Amino acid sequence: MRILQVSAEIFPLLKTGGLADIAGALPQALAGAGCEVRAVLPGLPAIRQALLESVVVGQFPTPWGETVGVRLGQLAGVPGGAGLLSAYVLEAPALYDRPGNPYEDAQRRPYADNHRRFAALGWAAAHLAHGLDRAWTPQLVHCHDWHAALAPACLKHWSGAAAAAVPSLYTVHNLAYQGVFDASVFGELGLPPAAFAVDGLEFHGQVSFMKAGLYYADHLSTVSPSYAREIQTPEQGCGLDGLLRARRDHLSGILNAVDEAVWNPATDALISHRYLPERMAGKALCKAALQRHIGLAEQVDAPLFALVGRITGQKGLPLVLAGADEIVAQGGQLLVLGSGEAELEQALQQQSQRHPGRVAVHLGYDEALAHRIFAGSDVTLVPSLFEPCGLTQMYGLKYGSLPLVRGVGGLADTVIDADLATLADHSATGFVFGPFTDAAYQHALRRAFALYRKPAAWARVRQTGMRQPLGWAPAALAYRALYQRLVGP
Ligand code: ADP
Ligand code: GLC
């Protein structure tokens, strides 16, 4: 089956979060399940520079009168099956020739022409589905997040001669980021006036890319079974729960997985010492190296709690800030790696100044340090307000850093709380708390400390976590089954 994957990011070339990890791992996983995947990506500098042996296969006019070239090549560093991933990259320097974050400028302001930048991506997918590259036409278009979400609308409204219907799957990685624009941009999207309606991409008088995907895609998926249920409720539906309930028969939850070629303490070249579940000595050395590197007291018996993630309300930073004193009071250490909202960043820095050697904060994005943190920490904190899937708790499991998570979305689907029963039957893998309150979070912290003081029990939970099957094979089979249903016999 020929699948065209549409996304704005792809690991290791361009990443702001988990979306990139998934877009980078899925093509090879799907190749293992017998699919042939090609990607279409915006021509952002990091992506253009990595495109090898490329040729121009065609071009198309945008609705606002620009010409976008489409180049086909192989993406350096991204496996796509037997070799590198074949990718179509859009050539439109006026839209994409901007370094750094793909969505916002250096002052963290969204680019004013984002609707054009990602409408071009949607139209590119539709053109490829209708023969722009005569040598390869996908049987299905798989779009990821709002940046790719105009594609299903473009496909549905395609009006070329002999237009064969190419089905689309739209995967929501995070319903909170919707790509909403002023109604005045609608005229630039190239869609018929009827599309600006409740039965279309209109959302409270504005244009919503997210809604275009949710309304027009033949099938919807999201990245965990729990989140698939949660987004159908007013609490977590971000205003779109009605539409999601209406489409619930066309909505699947497929749990993300871990790319074990990248995230594996037995082979990871980014960490100082490698280790296996049955040979854990390297982990203690990783912890000491991390403490030294990051300016924490080099104390082997101080449980090290770490959070790697975007510094936003979603990730539960208010709980982490309020709980820092509790960690320090109990003799533990706290390390945060991330970047995001200025106010939260400042508050984190204040905590680290109050507790030198006990609380460390590294602001910024550092892929190698993230690996060293999972390897060197004892507990991976993911106390999210909501979490579509979450990858860091799974990296924590793989690296023997017990996840401490709030029981929502994919966190609830991947971590088994250590209670008397699960400790007794050896199924426990971490700590799960319920209400988004300081009290519930700090109670979970205290439970982690209590278990840490029982080294044998701690080691057993860690072993169970490290041995969890988290690879891509089951998800790849689930996606393939979905594709097959949509493509038909
Ligand atoms: P989200 O996609 O909501 O940001 P995920 O847990 O799904 O959350 O994925 C986050 C990904 O980004 C993980 O691979 C994590 O290690 C990585 N990451 C987040 N922040 C940073 C950072 N500051 N430095 C390095 N890696 C980071
Ligand atoms: C989103 C979600 C995160 C998920 C990731 C990959 O960014 O916030 O929970 O793991 O996408 O699907």
Side-chain angles (χ1 to χ4, degrees):
M1 229 178 328
R2 297 182 306 280
I3 309 297
L4 182 67
Q5 171 177 293
V6 196
S7 69
E9 305 181 21
I10 193 159
F11 179 84
L13 307 176
L14 185 66
K15 164 167 164 177
T16 70
L19 165 67
D21 287 355
I22 305 312
L26 200 49
Q28 193 177 29
L30 287 167
C35 301
E36 185 192 344
V37 181
R38 291 189 179 184
V40 56
L41 292 150
L44 297 153
I47 291 170
R48 286 195 65 176
Q49 282 152 20
L51 194 68
L52 309 173
E53 298 164 18
S54 69
V55 289
V56 174
V57 291
Q59 59 181 41
F60 64 91
T62 63
W64 58 92
E66 209 167 322
T67 299
V68 175
V70 180
R71 213 171 241 287
L72 171 65
Q74 312 289 310
L75 279 183
V78 188
L84 296 177
L85 178 64
S86 297
Y88 298 97
V89 172
L90 307 190
E91 282 196 316
L95 296 177
Y96 303 127
D97 197 8
R98 305 170 198 179
N101 185 293
Y103 317 116
E104 49 191 41
D105 64 19
Q107 281 71 48
R108 295 187 179 165
R109 286 178 309 228
Y111 289 120
D113 57 352
N114 270 348
H115 64 285
R116 287 186 173 186
R117 301 171 77 228
F118 296 108
L121 185 62
W123 279 110
H127 279 278
L128 285 162
H130 289 100
L132 183 130
D133 177 1
R134 284 160 190 265
W136 194 89
T137 309
Q139 292 166 281
L140 180 139
V141 175
H142 185 172
C143 315
H144 296 268
D145 269 354
W146 75 260
H147 331 105
L150 211 64
C154 302
L155 285 165
K156 283 285 181 240
H157 290 294
W158 189 266
S159 55
V166 179
S168 60
L169 168 64
Y170 176 47
T171 299
V172 177
H173 291 263
N174 196 332
L175 194 64
Y177 297 91
Q178 302 189 343
V180 172
F181 302 95
D182 192 81
S184 59
V185 313
F186 179 76
E188 297 193 353
L189 301 182
L191 296 168
F196 191 68
V198 174
D199 291 329
L201 51 64
E202 184 267 343
F203 185 59
H204 299 293
Q206 293 180 293
V207 163
S208 165
F209 276 46
M210 173 62 78
K211 196 175 164 214
L214 297 182
Y215 183 79
Y216 288 108
D218 294 286
H219 196 89
L220 309 173
S221 76
T222 186
V223 287
S224 69
S226 288
Y227 194 60
R229 285 189 298 274
E230 290 166 358
I231 55 177
Q232 296 178 46
T233 66
E235 296 74 38
Q236 289 233 44
C238 302
L240 290 160
D241 47 292
L243 175 55
L244 286 158
R245 279 196 301 278
R247 299 216 61 195
R248 65 177 172 270
D249 294 338
H250 301 275
L251 168 62
S252 312
I254 300 178
L255 192 66
N256 282 335
V258 172
D259 187 342
E260 288 169 324
V262 179
W263 298 99
N264 181 354
T267 54
D268 192 334
L270 297 171
I271 62 180
S272 58
H273 297 80
R274 275 152 289 285
Y275 54 94
L276 297 158
E278 58 276 11
R279 252 190 301 125
M280 290 296 290
K283 184 160 175 77
L285 298 171
C286 286
K287 179 172 175 178
L290 176 65
Q291 286 170 323
R292 256 195 320 277
H293 173 76
I294 209 76
L296 289 170
E298 210 179 309
Q299 220 180 311
V300 63
D301 58 352
L304 173 46
F305 294 74
L307 183 146
V308 176
R310 293 180 290 109
I311 305 298
T312 65
Q314 176 192 343
K315 298 293 175 182
L317 268 304
L319 299 187
V320 174
L321 281 163
D325 290 349
E326 173 73 20
I327 290 179
V328 172
Q330 296 240 14
Q333 299 180 341
L334 172 65
L335 168 54
V336 177
L337 164 64
S339 68
E341 291 165 20
E343 246 173 64
L344 290 169
E345 287 187 350
Q346 274 164 21
L348 283 167
Q349 270 174 324
Q350 280 162 9
Q351 279 291 15
S352 75
Q353 283 151 9
R354 284 185 54 217
H355 301 292
R358 294 263 148 213
V359 176
V361 175
H362 186 103
L363 297 178
Y365 196 92
D366 188 333
E367 192 73 30
L369 182 56
H371 284 246
R372 292 162 72 178
I373 291 176
F374 294 117
S377 60
D378 296 297
V379 176
T380 295
L381 297 172
V382 200
S384 304
L385 184 58
F386 65 93
E387 197 61 77
C389 179
L391 295 173
T392 59
Q393 82 282 9
M394 293 201 265
Y395 301 155
L397 286 171
K398 282 231 68 100
Y399 283 72
S401 176
L402 271 50
L404 186 155
V405 306
R406 182 158 174 261
V408 284
L411 302 172
D413 295 345
T414 50
V415 182
I416 298 171
D417 185 43
D419 62 20
L420 287 176
T422 59
L423 285 169
D425 69 13
H426 298 182
S427 61
T429 60
F431 310 95
V432 184
F433 67 97
F436 190 77
T437 60
D438 289 332
Y441 168 70
Q442 291 182 26
H443 184 70
L445 289 180
R446 286 197 294 280
R447 293 199 293 128
F449 276 102
L451 192 69
Y452 192 79
R453 289 183 197 115
K454 296 182 174 171
W458 184 272
R460 209 160 42 229
V461 175
R462 198 166 64 176
Q463 291 277 320
T464 307
M466 291 179 77
R467 293 182 198 278
Q468 292 296 300
L470 296 172
W472 267 103
L477 290 180
Y479 280 116
R480 191 188 65 183
L482 246 182
Y483 296 160
Q484 252 156 0
R485 234 169 67 201
L486 293 165
V487 168

